[in-house]
Amino acid sequence: MDTQTSGTAPVLRTADSDLEIRKLRRHFGHFDILFFLLCTLVGLDTIGTVAARGPQAFTWMIVLAIIFFVPSALLCAELGSAFPQEGGPYLWVRLAFGHLVGAVNTFMYWVTNPVWFGGTLTVSAVTAFTTFFRDGRPFGTLGFYLFTLGFVWFGILTAVVSFRIGKWIPVLGGWTRLALLILFTGTVLIYAARHGVHGFGLADFTPGWSGFVALVPVLIFNYVGFELPNSAGDEMVDPRRDVPAAIFRSGVLAVLLYALPVLGVLLVLPTKAVTGLSGFLDAMRQVFSVYGGSTGPDGTVTLTGAGLVLGGICAVLFILTLLSSGVAWLMGTDRALAVSGYDGAAPRAFGVISERLGTPVRVNLLSGLVSTGVLVLAHQLTGGEAAKLFGAVLSLALSTTLLSYLGIFPALHILRRKYPDVPRPYRVRYPRTIGWLLTALIAFATVQLLLPGIGAHWFGPGYAPSGWAPSERWTYLATEAIPLVVFVLIGVAFWFAGAPTRRRS
């Protein structure tokens, strides 16, 4: 493998890479990157999970925005503008640590998204549809699979088509986020003026250790993704100029678009009534009753008239928002895995770009198959219990995502040392400190996902992870740890499978 600096960034020059890169087209401009990042960073499926921890969740959201979100934006701005080739996060890890670490890290980075798309996002979408269009009545088995498989494969086909066309789904998703959250926030103000809100004092915002332990994994999961557009680096018009600018603008918008709906949920619903799966949806139903609807003695909300219409519109916006999140992540991570295929860190068969479409169609279809498998398996194992399915798949997606950043974040300092002469349009001060701060937070969050509450509650009598019985906590650990071990082994197998490509290069 010939790695040259050429006075700019290291260029991976092989016959395989030349064959595939020439099929790419530059369609990815500043406007596209900005909205792509909004879809990457602002995922509404976890708002209920965050709000369920009460007012201190808002405090921890702001704290982690300062100590994690901002440093990660600075780090990705440097890496993305200095090393802008296709495959972004794979390239950075591979250049810093070699093919083996690059193979394992990229497989973990990729597999998160079909798992998340087929599990958490799809379950959230079907819950939104049944909540607003079926009065909360769940689908039967056939209806469930028709809806969910349609959702999954529409997203996959969007990732398959030319990036010139497919990029409009993330652009649409950016606008749906803005429309939905502006409408929701404005309606909360109207609701508060008419009915009042659930009161809490400043003391309720005081951050506590138990809240930090519970919230740090999901908040960090919400706050990662600045690196994703660089997976399409050779499809960007001007990455050295556009990446830093888009990162900083999307970062400010992302914090606002998370903070406002979480605060709105806390104002409208009592904390004990907020659930991870439907917390945001329940708050939407509650506030839209101001336009038409009523609340029964048991707290059940029935929408009528304009409330029913606006609620339905917002449900559609919510589903489109979920779809665009999944599509944006699939577009990015599928490209990273494809680059690892033609660079010798995965089977060469995966590293093929379609001549006609300019997309990694084989990896796209593999993502669709994995998403479908996760959807069917999780639905069967949980007996169709949506809340349990949501929680189990979300935890697995969180852990695989966070583990992949254990390779990405330390790469900044390593690449500074290995390639000191590479021009850096944007440079971070204190790269080693930032890299290790982010890595330490990621490591802590990963441990808390595997053993939630360790250091406080895990070994206590009667303790159980959220949504699980005390007798099931070791089962929970198995559902998290065993897939992670399997994924690492698959990553190693991919590295072995890439040996012929490395030798040929």
Side-chain angles (χ1 to χ4, degrees):
M1 186 71 63
D2 181 22
T3 303
Q4 306 167 348
T5 58
S6 305
T8 57
V11 179
L12 307 180
R13 304 298 303 177
T14 72
D16 291 282
S17 65
D18 286 344
L19 175 65
E20 303 304 333
I21 289 174
R22 69 176 178 80
K23 304 173 186 177
L24 302 174
R25 301 292 181 269
R26 294 190 181 274
H27 299 299
F28 210 16
H30 171 74
F31 176 82
D32 307 315
I33 296 171
L34 174 61
F35 279 88
F36 195 88
L37 277 170
L38 281 180
C39 289
T40 300
L41 297 169
V42 184
L44 301 185
D45 55 308
T46 57
I47 284 177
T49 303
V50 174
R53 292 292 169 178
Q56 69 166 310
F58 187 83
T59 305
W60 282 121
M61 180 181 294
I62 302 304
V63 170
L64 282 169
I66 297 170
I67 67 173
F68 181 87
F69 195 54
V70 171
S72 68
L74 299 176
L75 179 147
C76 291
E78 175 172 328
L79 288 175
S81 57
F83 303 91
Q85 292 90 346
E86 193 84 359
Y90 161 73
L91 172 75
W92 307 338
V93 176
R94 197 287 244 181
L95 287 174
F97 303 109
H99 280 91
L100 177 57
V101 176
V104 174
N105 200 81
T106 301
F107 182 81
M108 299 289 283
Y109 186 69
W110 166 78
V111 78
T112 293
N113 295 286
V115 169
W116 178 55
F117 192 48
T120 306
L121 292 185
T122 304
V123 173
S124 297
V126 75
T127 302
F129 188 89
T130 56
T131 298
F132 283 90
F133 296 108
R134 291 175 56 86
D135 293 325
R137 292 178 289 109
F139 282 118
T141 301
L142 177 61
F144 174 84
Y145 282 122
L146 286 175
F147 182 95
T148 54
L149 292 177
F151 181 85
V152 166
W153 283 99
F154 180 81
I156 297 300
L157 292 177
T158 302
V160 165
V161 300
S162 167
F163 198 75
R164 178 174 58 86
I165 299 171
K167 70 180 183 181
W168 289 104
I169 292 296
V171 171
L172 174 64
W175 287 114
T176 60
R177 280 162 173 75
L178 293 172
L180 174 60
L181 297 179
I182 289 172
L183 182 57
F184 173 74
T185 304
T187 307
V188 167
L189 297 177
I190 298 172
Y191 182 90
R194 292 189 183 180
H195 303 289
V197 294
H198 289 278
F200 38 75
L202 291 177
D204 295 314
F205 287 91
T206 303
W209 172 254
S210 61
F212 177 73
V213 165
L215 286 165
V216 69
V218 69
L219 287 176
I220 288 179
F221 178 75
N222 288 341
Y223 281 163
V224 295
F226 284 118
E227 78 294 334
L228 191 69
N230 276 97
S231 295
D234 284 315
E235 298 164 79
M236 292 181 179
V237 176
D238 188 355
R240 288 185 172 85
R241 181 197 66 187
D242 293 340
V243 167
I247 283 177
F248 299 138
R249 290 169 184 168
S250 64
V252 173
L253 285 172
V255 172
L256 291 175
L257 293 176
Y258 270 128
L260 292 177
V262 167
L263 189 59
V265 171
L266 292 172
L267 289 170
V268 172
L269 298 176
T271 301
K272 63 181 181 181
V274 180
T275 66
L277 174 58
S278 61
F280 184 50
L281 298 174
D282 291 339
M284 283 171 55
R285 283 178 63 87
Q286 187 77 39
V287 298
F288 281 112
S289 65
V290 300
Y291 303 117
S294 59
T295 303
D298 60 351
T300 302
V301 178
T302 302
L303 296 179
T304 59
L308 184 63
V309 173
L310 286 172
I313 291 173
C314 284
V316 172
L317 293 176
F318 182 80
I319 292 170
L320 289 174
T321 296
L322 298 175
L323 177 69
S324 62
S325 289
V327 169
W329 275 98
L330 287 171
M331 285 178 170
T333 57
D334 285 358
R335 281 166 167 77
L337 184 62
V339 172
S340 74
Y342 64 66
D343 188 51
R348 181 65 179 88
F350 291 152
V352 176
I353 305 298
S354 168
E355 184 82 44
R356 182 167 64 91
L357 300 172
T359 55
V361 174
R362 296 181 182 181
V363 181
N364 295 149
L365 296 177
L366 178 64
S367 292
L369 293 174
V370 173
S371 293
T372 301
V374 168
L375 171 66
V376 174
L377 182 62
H379 186 260
Q380 295 300 316
L381 290 178
T382 59
E385 294 182 39
K388 200 167 187 178
L389 187 157
F390 175 88
V393 178
L394 177 61
S395 294
L396 180 59
L398 291 175
S399 56
T400 52
T401 296
L402 298 185
L403 280 174
S404 68
Y405 285 90
L406 292 177
I408 294 172
F409 287 146
L412 174 66
H413 171 65
I414 302 298
L415 294 179
R416 276 274 192 99
R417 191 182 72 240
K418 292 181 70 172
Y419 302 102
D421 298 327
V422 170
R424 288 167 167 80
Y426 178 83
R427 292 180 68 91
V428 179
R429 299 184 66 183
Y430 314 115
R432 177 184 293 183
T433 302
I434 287 178
W436 289 116
L437 169 65
L438 297 176
T439 303
L441 287 169
I442 289 285
F444 177 82
T446 304
V447 171
Q448 290 299 331
L449 283 169
L450 296 175
L451 300 168
I454 192 168
H457 306 299
W458 173 264
F459 295 105
Y463 173 72
S466 177
W468 296 72
S471 60
E472 296 178 309
R473 62 176 162 178
W474 298 110
T475 304
Y476 167 86
L477 176 59
T479 63
E480 299 300 312
I482 292 175
L484 291 179
V485 172
V486 171
F487 292 158
V488 169
L489 294 176
I490 294 175
V492 174
F494 273 28
W495 174 75
F496 274 109
T501 306
R502 296 195 299 275
R503 287 196 297 267
R504 184 167 60 252
S505 299

